[in-house]
Amino acid sequence: MSSMYLRLFIRRAVNTRLYLDRVEDRCDMERSGPPIPVVLFDRLGSSTSCGVHSGNCAYQISLIIKFSMLCHPGLLISLRKFVMSAVSKPEVIFVLGGPGAGKGTQCTNIVNKYGYVHLSAGELLREEQLKPGSKYGELIQGHMVNGTIVPVQITCSLLAQAMEKSGSNRFLIDGFPRNTNNLDGWNEAMSDKVNFLGVLFFDCSEQVCINRCLLRGASGSGRSDDNEETLKKRFQTYQNSTIPIIKHYEAQGLAYKIDANKAADQVFEDVQKVLARLQH
Ligand SMILES: Nc1ncnc2c1ncn2[C@@H]1O[C@H](COP(=O)(O)OP(=O)(O)O)[C@@H](O)[C@H]1O
Ligand SMILES: Nc1ccn([C@H]2C[C@H](O)[C@@H](COP(=O)(O)OP(=O)(O)O)O2)c(=O)n1
């Protein structure tokens, strides 16, 4: 009995890729026709496994359940979560605030507690800049040092690639959108593909931010922009270009302001209150 399996299929005709959380393994299973990415993961211990197949114009989810697990009390809840995560669009929260406001620090806290995937636009750009032979390396470096913003086509495609590669469906997108070019580019390419929950806005005074960035630089961040001269320019960009984006979301009731001048653990207390609201 324990080796008998029940297989459920869910099919839907959409040309889309699926993003699932808790991806544990990738393999090619039941290959037929063109190559199909298959994600295998496990929600009820080792005796339940799920495969997700994303084809050209349809996707099919198959869920393999051991007969002995059919009476498991968590099965229905797990099934519902599984199906919802598979058929719903990926969740996105934007994280904004001045340079050094503590965005990255709080994103790490959120990832540890809530299991989002953290994508830092700045970090993705730094990685791209360092890639040998990157055609955007010099352009990115120029913007970093001048404290200006890289064109959205580059940043948005790095974000989209990272989302796809992660296999998750819950994202914190940190340091984006930073100006109207970022916002327009995102809206054009991505906004109808995601379920946007809102913006975490880390509000922090300029002096506190500058002190934190200088300390970060002094303690070996290795970042070409953690110096006083670039910081002045980054703050100008923040005031002139990013604050209007935050205001744009505030006007829609989608920005959640958090006092980021406080100690990191106090800031995280406030973050958790906001997340509790966002997730309901
Ligand atoms: N609430 C806080 N109080 C004091 N220092 C902080 C706080 N949050 C972050 N830091 C420190 O300040 C620096 C900048 O934080 P970081 O999370 O990298 O900011 P951002 O991602 O907004 O640039 C880091 O060295 C970090 O350890
Ligand atoms: N959307 C973005 C995000 C960052 N950048 C560039 C320009 C920014 O000054 C640098 C650094 O960004 P990052 O988010 O890492 O910086 P802070 O964490 O806010 O200090 O990257 C960009 O051009 N476009």
Side-chain angles (χ1 to χ4, degrees):
M1 190 69 164
S2 62
S3 60
M4 287 179 69
Y5 293 86
L6 177 73
R7 183 190 290 269
L8 305 178
F9 288 102
I10 298 165
R11 290 167 200 259
R12 193 171 154 200
V14 286
N15 186 3
T16 183
R17 282 285 186 87
L18 295 177
Y19 302 96
L20 295 173
D21 47 353
R22 301 209 194 153
V23 174
E24 292 185 355
D25 190 14
R26 262 168 205 278
C27 70
D28 284 336
M29 194 175 75
E30 298 170 3
R31 221 172 228 262
S32 63
I36 298 171
V38 174
V39 181
L40 271 186
F41 67 103
D42 197 327
R43 279 173 184 271
L44 282 177
S46 58
S47 46
T48 304
S49 63
C50 310
V52 173
H53 312 232
S54 150
N56 281 344
C57 59
Y59 69 72
Q60 167 184 295
I61 302 163
S62 85
L63 182 67
I64 306 160
I65 308 164
K66 255 192 181 176
F67 255 65
S68 58
M69 295 299 293
L70 283 176
C71 297
H72 190 290
L75 179 63
L76 270 180
I77 296 168
S78 292
L79 259 177
R80 187 169 176 276
K81 273 196 189 161
F82 165 66
V83 172
M84 290 313 290
S85 71
V87 298
S88 60
K89 294 176 180 181
E91 247 176 48
V92 166
I93 296 176
F94 288 148
V95 180
L96 292 174
K103 301 182 293 295
T105 304
Q106 295 305 327
C107 284
T108 302
N109 290 338
I110 297 169
V111 167
N112 291 340
K113 176 148 186 190
Y114 297 89
Y116 280 83
V117 165
H118 173 210
L119 299 178
S120 157
E123 202 52 51
L124 290 170
L125 288 166
R126 280 187 285 278
E127 279 169 25
E128 177 62 30
Q129 185 227 324
L130 292 174
K131 258 190 209 154
S134 165
K135 58 179 173 181
Y136 302 121
E138 260 180 52
L139 183 141
I140 294 172
Q141 175 65 3
H143 283 286
M144 294 272 178
V145 173
N146 287 320
T148 47
I149 307 298
V150 173
V152 69
Q153 288 78 3
I154 299 174
T155 317
C156 202
S157 73
L158 291 173
L159 286 169
Q161 279 167 36
M163 287 169 79
E164 181 162 343
K165 202 170 142 200
S166 77
S168 175
N169 70 346
R170 302 170 84 206
F171 299 97
L172 292 170
I173 299 192
D174 165 8
F176 185 93
R178 262 181 147 112
N179 63 5
T180 42
N181 171 260
N182 275 189
L183 180 64
D184 293 345
W186 171 269
N187 283 341
E188 205 174 298
M190 298 295 288
S191 63
D192 61 348
K193 297 189 181 129
V194 304
N195 175 20
F196 175 63
L197 298 190
V199 178
L200 294 182
F201 166 35
F202 290 101
D203 187 28
C204 194
S205 79
E206 180 164 338
Q207 200 49 56
V208 169
C209 282
I210 288 179
N211 291 343
R212 286 182 188 169
C213 287
L214 291 176
L215 256 175
R216 182 170 67 184
S219 52
S221 71
R223 284 178 52 163
S224 58
D225 56 356
D226 277 344
N227 61 72
E228 238 161 313
E229 199 190 333
T230 302
L231 275 166
K232 273 191 205 132
K233 297 178 190 163
R234 287 163 70 195
F235 255 92
Q236 267 173 12
T237 303
Y238 174 63
Q239 292 294 348
N240 297 337
S241 304
T242 311
I243 293 279
I245 302 299
I246 295 167
K247 291 216 161 101
H248 159 85
Y249 283 116
E250 271 173 350
Q252 299 177 46
L254 285 170
Y256 298 84
K257 182 154 124 179
I258 291 160
D259 181 356
N261 295 288
K262 299 184 201 169
D265 51 352
Q266 285 176 280
V267 178
F268 189 51
E269 299 272 312
D270 295 340
V271 167
Q272 291 175 77
K273 288 179 199 151
V274 171
L275 285 181
R277 284 169 64 194
L278 275 181
Q279 291 175 333
H280 285 106

